[in-house]
Amino acid sequence: MSLRVLMWTPAAQEIPGGHKVQMERTASAVRSLGVDVVEAIDEEPPIEGFSVVHGYGLSAQQVRRSREGGTPVCLSTIYCSRRWSLGLDQRVGGGVQLGRRIRLAAVLGRSAMRLRHVEKMEDLLVSTTDRRSAFECADLLMPNSALEGEMIRSELDVTTPMHVVPNGVDPTVFDHGAAAPERDATVLYVGRFEPHKNQLGLIRALARRPYRLVLVGARHPHHQRYYTRCRATASSGVEFVDPVSQCDLPAFYGSAAVHALPSWYETTGLVSLEAAACGAKVVSTDRGYAREYLGDDAWYCDPADRRSIASAVDQAMEAPFESALRDRVMTQFTWEQAGKATVQAYERVLSRRPAAPR
């Protein structure tokens, strides 16, 4: 089957981050399988002449525009529950064990009680309902994990078919050997500076620990004050590093004993996979779907509890290195695997009779 695919993420130009990396790496992997891929980061690229539109962060209007032109739409969902982002429910260690029949109205109603301004509630209503509408209008959803797909079903009541496509790493880039070298007591955090990434919580949690803390990442254009607050809170021993290229990241991962990602939620934690591939021990948030990737080979923390963050880092720092997570990432969670799953998703959509717009 000859395929020509438009990969489209309109938010990448203004706000770079994991979604852009995911699109670029997936595009490269899909091209290696013989698919013609065109990448777009503008608001209204031409969509004529493509077999499939593969979107990241598309609005409902953009999905409808593609489908009305006769082109089927697959969406990489990158969805995380509002329950986590707004602190509306508790997490449990074994995975996502939330109410199975949570509906949009209930989530929005409880969210409104936590918000201080009507404008914020309106923003939440608009963004959540548009996301649900986009998902429902699409031909196929491609969550990064089964847990993510389950959350979309239960929270947004979406009926669109799903095909899981895992996130991954490039083994030719993120590979520092099977055994971890001797490393000093460095805790690394790679990620864009914004409140939900919780660098501030990590800085505070490790303030009295004898670790070197290195924070690598770009400043989110909408959260400049958050970055300033992180700098003001950090001691002189905390190192802030501007964003570096993918090919330069392994040097940071390879010198750190622990990579810590105590975000308020993560769909995957792409940097956790990269760190594991480079032989660093991994601390992850317990909110989101990272456990489906990391299993019992990582340490988990409650991002709202500084003691939990510090304890997880302490345990990881003291534990001997085990290669189980690194081996699993390098065999199961690579961009090659993601590319194969993505092409299967395209073929699944194109083999079905086009559905009427929902």
Side-chain angles (χ1 to χ4, degrees):
M1 182 184 297
S2 178
L3 293 176
R4 188 165 187 260
V5 176
L6 173 66
M7 282 197 185
W8 180 13
T9 176
Q13 186 167 302
E14 180 186 8
I15 307 173
H19 61 294
K20 186 171 184 288
V21 172
Q22 182 178 335
M23 185 184 80
E24 291 172 345
R25 297 299 176 178
T26 302
S28 178
V30 168
R31 285 192 188 100
S32 71
L33 297 172
V35 178
D36 180 13
V37 179
V38 175
E39 298 172 59
I41 59 174
D42 49 336
E43 290 294 327
E44 293 188 8
I47 58 176
E48 296 77 17
F50 290 99
S51 309
V52 175
V53 170
H54 179 172
Y56 297 77
L58 299 189
S59 68
Q61 182 179 1
Q62 289 165 330
V63 173
R64 291 191 190 100
R65 175 189 164 216
S66 301
R67 294 191 87 239
E68 287 169 359
T71 307
V73 178
C74 299
L75 293 182
S76 289
T77 50
I78 315 179
Y79 178 79
C80 199
S81 170
R82 290 294 185 186
R83 293 174 143 230
W84 286 314
S85 59
L86 293 170
L88 298 176
D89 210 322
Q90 297 297 314
R91 294 78 50 217
V92 289
V96 180
Q97 296 183 9
L98 304 175
R100 302 283 300 188
R101 307 305 297 170
I102 301 302
R103 289 294 177 258
L104 179 62
V107 172
L108 290 174
R110 296 183 67 192
S111 301
M113 297 174 65
R114 291 293 185 95
L115 300 174
R116 296 181 179 180
H117 303 292
V118 172
E119 291 83 358
K120 290 184 178 180
M121 179 184 172
E122 290 174 347
D123 289 344
L124 176 66
L125 177 63
V126 169
S127 64
T128 305
T129 53
D130 186 79
R131 176 70 66 88
R132 181 190 184 280
S133 182
F135 287 175
E136 190 67 18
C137 286
D139 293 272
L140 186 70
L141 302 182
M142 298 189 294
N144 289 141
S145 67
L147 290 174
E148 181 181 349
E150 178 183 332
M151 187 61 69
I152 292 170
R153 285 264 187 265
S154 66
E155 189 167 285
L156 299 184
D157 204 18
V158 168
T159 62
T160 305
M162 297 192 187
H163 189 96
V164 174
V165 176
N167 249 330
V169 299
D170 183 347
T172 65
V173 175
F174 297 100
D175 185 0
H176 271 244
E182 290 296 324
R183 307 182 186 209
D184 59 17
T186 297
V187 178
L188 177 67
Y189 188 124
V190 176
R192 188 175 57 217
F193 281 89
E194 57 186 297
H196 104 257
K197 288 296 186 179
N198 201 28
Q199 289 96 337
L200 189 59
L202 182 63
I203 291 168
R204 289 170 171 167
L206 300 185
R208 299 181 181 227
R209 293 298 195 273
Y211 309 136
R212 174 174 171 250
L213 177 58
V214 179
L215 306 169
V216 180
R219 309 174 197 182
H220 193 297
H222 300 164
H223 299 288
Q224 295 287 351
R225 285 191 295 178
Y226 180 75
Y227 177 80
T228 302
R229 192 176 177 192
C230 288
R231 293 295 300 248
T233 304
S235 67
S236 59
V238 177
E239 184 177 349
F240 290 78
V241 180
D242 288 337
V244 300
S245 66
Q246 285 272 295
C247 62
D248 291 330
L249 276 176
F252 288 90
Y253 292 132
S255 63
V258 173
H259 184 274
L261 190 66
S263 312
W264 290 103
Y265 59 87
E266 286 290 342
T267 54
T268 304
L270 180 57
V271 291
S272 293
L273 302 183
E274 295 171 352
C278 291
K281 290 172 281 189
V282 172
V283 170
S284 173
T285 178
D286 65 359
R287 302 186 187 189
Y289 323 121
R291 191 177 288 271
E292 189 167 318
Y293 288 75
L294 308 177
D296 295 329
D297 299 310
W299 290 262
Y300 297 91
C301 64
D302 179 352
D305 187 341
R306 295 182 204 173
R307 290 175 297 180
S308 175
I309 297 171
S311 176
V313 172
D314 289 342
Q315 292 175 49
M317 193 68 73
E318 294 167 5
F321 173 76
E322 300 286 347
S323 65
L325 179 57
R326 179 191 181 278
D327 295 342
R328 186 163 71 256
V329 168
M330 297 298 259
T331 55
Q332 297 181 27
F333 302 124
T334 66
W335 291 121
E336 180 182 4
Q337 299 295 332
K340 291 177 180 178
T342 300
V343 173
Q344 290 171 358
Y346 298 157
E347 292 172 343
R348 178 178 170 183
V349 164
L350 293 172
S351 67
R352 293 203 326 262
R353 207 169 174 185
R358 283 181 288 274

